[in-house]
Amino acid sequence: MSIHIVALGNEGDAFHQDNRPSGLIRTYLGRSPLVSGDESSLLLNATSTVARPVFTEYQASAFGNVKLVVHDCPVWDIFDSDWYTSRNLIGGADIIVIKYNVNDKFSFHEVKDNYIPVIKRALNSVPVIIAAVGTRQNEELPCTCPLCTSDRGSCVSTTEGIQLAKELGATYLELHSLDDFYIGKYFGGVLEYFMIQALNQKTSEKMKKRKLSSSFHGIRPPQLEQPEKMPVLKAEASHYNSDLNNLLFCCQCVDVVFYNPDLKKVIEAHKIVLCAVSHVFMLLFNVKSPTDIQDSSIIRTTQDLFAINRDTAFPGASQESSGNPPLRVIVKDALFCSCLSDILRFIYSGAFQWEELEEDIRKKLKDSGDVSNVIEKVKCILKTPGKINCLRNCKTYQARKPLWFYNTSLKFFLNKPMLADVVFEIQGTTVPAHRAILVARCEVMAAMFNGNYMEAKSVLIPVYGVSKETFLSFLEYLYTDSCCPAGIFQAMCLLICAEMYQVSRLQHICELFIITQLQSMPSRELASMNLDIVDLLKKAKFHHSDCLSTWLLHFIATNYLIFSQKPEFQDLSVEERSFVEKHRWPSNMYLKQLAEYRKYIHSRKCRCLVM
């Protein structure tokens, strides 16, 4: 058995902290003859053991074998910082001690204005002791006359303390010093009286519970155990930015090459990625016209920085493939061109790592004015038409999401013919796409377009085994790194498509979607739904979705009473049926015990005390 005491308030003298005695609680625990152990062992918890952020905790033994737990909080700001813990501790207290120093009006008002309202709301027949500690400094002997007001200017009067005690129905004590008399006999006597009362009350309640439990001698109702925990599905981290960043270095599906003013090759790139983040490149590659953009600064930036060269006499033009050679772009600004590789790496990484870009440019351009000039041109390239340049303070964007997500994104080009260089034929319809994105995001697509396959040289590629809606959802994930299936059936179709093209993260997203949908269904909906859960299990196994198949088996076992009544339950294999029977909930043993208990209740014609 244990007694829980909560002590609130600061009994120290704010004006005489150098001579301040030990705290009230610490002194009592160290000197009381009813508390076992010496002071050092009793107070060990205050510094090294139980760690509560709000209260200092003391533990001791009182009356021989009664565990005494004291939580002391002297400062309201700390008490208020963890409201949940503070409220719970006050609600579970057997005794509450409120303490303040008579020479510190601030500590008194902190108790009165902050602690008292909280205690009033949580108080439930719990004894409260109000301890006024110290001797008033402006009088030789403390005045006990209720009408005395001589010390109201600087000290807390007796009248104020008594009035506070009346509000709470508390016991008021004045402790002029923390010596053996005031602590051991005065404060200790009152506290130990309340401790004995709390023990008597707990003993009485315990005996009542025993009598209640022993009043029923028949068969006890069976205890329903908790179902087994469902397997946890771990999500795979996104590698969207790294996929697009790697595209810049792999030199696959290149359709634009940048040259310096001396016509020397600088770097190869991809129109679709550049247009996804910049209206300047949209204007340069004729994705949009000046009429569409209607922003003179973007038009001027495009004209000042870049020029397209289609001259057949261009050096190296004779060596280019006759099919569809990359577009040649001359970078007019020499300083900008010298930093172009760093700028493109910044764009392919998501166009948000401004500090790294500035550091890379500073390494190449020693002059700070040149660095600022190049940075400003990058901001103009990334500017949104019709808006003031929102990228002036680049550091505020350092921690934000990449520009793909909040500006012109790759989703703008999804299922659009603009810049498309491949067309998929599905169920008699066509879906345009962009090889660069497909190669960057899907290894199967990369092998298909760069290997010795028919698709590598063909523009029209047939797709079998999936619907158009499912394939569009698949492309949406490749372009945007997100998808939102309409339901469990579509999520399963998308999972099959992701397994076909070996996109593991999309498989995990579909698995998580299916699990979330099934978990959110109430039992009545599970019983009435038309979805064949066993068929879902078999598809998950066939398409190597091990996490989903394992989870579905546990789900069927946990909802055994529902799914065992469905006709598809008979389609489970012997191994699956054995697993479900082994892990079923509720267990067969519990149902037998429940039947016996019901039979006993009806045969005795007695009333169940539990129900």
Side-chain angles (χ1 to χ4, degrees):
M1 195 172 294
S2 63
I3 297 177
H4 181 196
I5 300 175
V6 173
L8 305 171
N10 183 11
E11 70 275 28
D13 189 346
F15 302 101
H16 300 84
Q17 291 188 1
D18 294 337
N19 300 320
R20 186 176 67 182
S22 298
L24 175 62
I25 299 300
R26 296 169 67 101
T27 305
Y28 170 75
L29 292 176
R31 295 183 181 181
S32 175
L34 297 179
V35 178
S36 62
D38 57 21
E39 184 174 357
S40 61
S41 63
L42 292 172
L43 305 182
L44 184 62
N45 288 312
T47 57
S48 61
T49 54
V50 181
R52 279 194 182 272
V54 178
F55 290 83
T56 301
E57 180 175 311
Y58 305 90
Q59 292 185 10
S61 295
F63 306 114
N65 59 350
V66 176
K67 183 179 179 181
L68 181 63
V69 181
V70 184
H71 288 96
D72 187 11
C73 180
V75 182
W76 167 257
D77 291 338
I78 302 177
F79 179 90
D80 193 39
S81 66
D82 189 348
W83 177 252
Y84 181 79
T85 301
S86 305
R87 181 65 181 268
N88 284 347
L89 284 175
I90 289 181
D94 297 313
I95 302 170
I96 297 177
V97 178
I98 300 173
K99 46 197 171 64
Y100 63 88
N101 192 286
V102 296
N103 296 303
D104 185 2
K105 277 222 168 186
F106 176 78
S107 68
F108 175 77
H109 285 294
E110 185 176 69
V111 166
K112 183 177 180 181
D113 298 337
N114 296 327
Y115 289 112
I116 297 302
V118 177
I119 294 173
K120 283 182 177 180
R121 289 194 295 267
L123 204 59
N124 184 20
S125 303
V126 177
V128 179
I129 300 174
I130 296 180
V133 180
T135 303
R136 294 177 179 82
Q137 298 299 319
N138 61 345
E139 58 183 7
E140 294 185 4
L141 293 175
C143 179
T144 58
C145 174
L147 301 178
C148 179
T149 58
S150 62
D151 56 352
R152 287 185 180 176
S154 59
C155 302
V156 182
S157 68
T158 303
T159 306
E160 291 176 293
I162 293 175
Q163 183 62 36
L164 183 63
K166 286 182 178 180
E167 291 182 19
L168 290 176
T171 301
Y172 177 74
L173 305 176
E174 284 204 355
L175 311 177
H176 304 316
S177 65
L178 300 184
D179 56 17
D180 290 336
F181 172 76
Y182 283 106
I183 292 296
K185 295 183 179 180
Y186 195 21
F187 174 76
V190 175
L191 181 63
E192 288 154 13
Y193 168 79
F194 286 130
M195 289 167 61
I196 293 171
Q197 294 296 319
L199 287 175
N200 290 337
Q201 183 179 355
K202 289 188 175 184
T203 303
S204 176
E205 291 176 354
K206 191 173 182 181
M207 292 300 295
K208 288 180 181 179
K209 289 182 179 179
R210 285 183 179 178
K211 289 180 180 179
L212 182 63
S213 62
S214 61
S215 63
F216 184 70
H217 300 285
I219 299 177
R220 302 290 299 174
Q223 298 294 320
L224 179 61
E225 71 280 5
Q226 292 295 322
E228 291 188 12
K229 290 186 178 180
M230 304 294 284
V232 178
L233 182 63
K234 295 182 179 179
E236 183 179 338
S238 173
H239 37 79
Y240 183 68
N241 292 333
S242 60
D243 288 343
L244 295 176
N245 193 27
N246 293 336
L247 182 64
L248 181 65
F249 302 101
C250 71
C251 300
Q252 294 180 355
C253 305
V254 169
D255 54 6
V256 59
V257 181
F258 291 93
Y259 292 84
N260 64 14
D262 297 330
L263 305 184
K264 292 183 179 180
K265 182 190 289 188
V266 178
I267 193 170
E268 298 173 328
H270 308 82
K271 296 178 185 178
I272 178 68
V273 177
L274 300 177
C275 291
V277 296
S278 171
H279 284 80
V280 168
F281 290 113
M282 282 189 176
L283 186 61
L284 180 66
F285 301 138
N286 296 323
V287 174
K288 289 188 176 182
S289 65
T291 307
D292 298 327
I293 294 178
Q294 295 183 348
D295 191 315
S296 58
S297 63
I298 292 179
I299 297 173
R300 185 169 58 254
T301 300
T302 307
Q303 295 172 347
D304 293 345
L305 285 181
F306 305 108
I308 295 178
N309 185 294
R310 292 188 173 87
D311 191 358
T312 56
F314 191 85
S318 59
Q319 300 177 2
E320 293 177 349
S321 60
S322 57
N324 192 13
L327 183 67
R328 297 186 294 269
V329 177
I330 310 299
V331 183
K332 298 179 182 180
D333 190 310
L335 291 176
F336 185 87
C337 185
S338 65
C339 304
L340 185 60
S341 58
D342 297 317
I343 295 170
L344 289 187
R345 187 169 63 251
F346 163 76
I347 290 176
Y348 274 68
S349 299
F352 73 107
Q353 299 174 344
W354 286 97
E355 291 183 354
E356 294 182 16
L357 174 64
E358 190 171 352
E359 184 65 26
D360 292 337
I361 294 176
R362 190 175 286 108
K363 290 178 182 178
K364 291 187 177 181
L365 305 178
K366 305 301 181 184
D367 186 85
S368 59
D370 293 339
V371 173
S372 300
N373 185 28
V374 172
I375 290 291
E376 287 301 320
K377 289 178 179 177
V378 175
K379 295 178 188 177
C380 292
I381 288 176
L382 301 178
K383 182 190 175 206
T384 302
K387 293 184 179 180
I388 300 174
N389 196 344
C390 59
L391 302 174
R392 289 180 178 177
N393 187 4
C394 300
K395 292 184 178 180
T396 61
Y397 285 80
Q398 185 72 18
R400 294 193 180 184
K401 288 184 177 180
L403 199 61
W404 320 106
F405 293 96
Y406 59 85
N407 202 349
T408 52
S409 67
L410 285 172
K411 192 173 183 178
F412 177 78
F413 298 91
L414 178 62
N415 197 22
K416 301 285 180 62
M418 296 175 295
L419 301 178
D421 53 4
V422 63
V423 178
F424 293 99
E425 186 179 17
I426 311 169
Q427 296 179 333
T429 61
T430 57
V431 176
H434 307 82
R435 291 176 186 259
I437 302 302
L438 304 179
V439 166
R441 299 281 288 138
C442 176
E443 293 182 1
V444 171
M445 293 277 193
M448 183 174 69
F449 288 130
N450 294 287
N452 296 321
Y453 299 100
M454 177 187 67
E455 292 83 357
K457 299 178 181 179
S458 176
V459 175
L460 186 64
I461 300 174
V463 176
Y464 305 101
V466 296
S467 66
K468 180 183 177 181
E469 291 75 16
T470 301
F471 193 75
L472 281 175
S473 297
F474 174 71
L475 290 182
E476 181 183 3
Y477 170 78
L478 296 184
Y479 277 65
T480 66
D481 201 43
S482 64
C483 67
C484 186
I488 293 177
F489 178 76
Q490 186 182 0
M492 194 68 208
C493 294
L494 187 56
L495 184 148
I496 294 172
C497 183
E499 191 266 340
M500 182 190 307
Y501 289 100
Q502 296 297 297
V503 183
S504 61
R505 183 169 181 270
L506 179 57
Q507 282 182 271
H508 290 150
I509 291 176
C510 294
E511 289 174 342
L512 189 59
F513 179 87
I514 293 172
I515 290 173
T516 303
Q517 291 292 308
L518 289 174
Q519 279 183 326
S520 63
M521 288 185 182
S523 299
R524 184 174 298 178
E525 188 175 349
L526 284 175
S528 61
M529 71 175 182
N530 295 323
L531 181 66
D532 189 338
I533 199 77
V534 177
D535 181 62
L536 204 65
L537 169 65
K538 293 187 179 299
K539 285 181 178 178
K541 280 192 171 184
F542 183 79
H543 293 284
H544 310 290
S545 181
D546 297 333
C547 294
L548 179 60
S549 60
T550 303
W551 188 91
L552 286 173
L553 273 176
H554 280 272
F555 186 69
I556 294 172
T558 303
N559 297 275
Y560 182 88
L561 296 180
I562 295 175
F563 293 115
S564 62
Q565 304 301 318
K566 292 179 175 286
E568 61 266 19
F569 187 78
Q570 306 302 323
D571 297 334
L572 289 172
S573 66
V574 176
E575 182 183 355
E576 293 165 350
R577 186 72 173 267
S578 175
F579 179 90
V580 170
E581 293 290 347
K582 180 180 179 181
H583 298 85
R584 60 176 286 181
W585 187 87
S587 66
N588 198 33
M589 179 64 69
Y590 170 80
L591 294 178
K592 288 181 179 179
Q593 293 175 352
L594 182 62
E596 292 177 0
Y597 178 73
R598 286 176 174 172
K599 183 179 179 180
Y600 170 80
I601 293 297
H602 290 298
S603 65
R604 295 291 297 272
K605 296 182 180 180
C606 58
R607 182 172 176 267
C608 176
L609 295 180
V610 177
M611 303 299 290

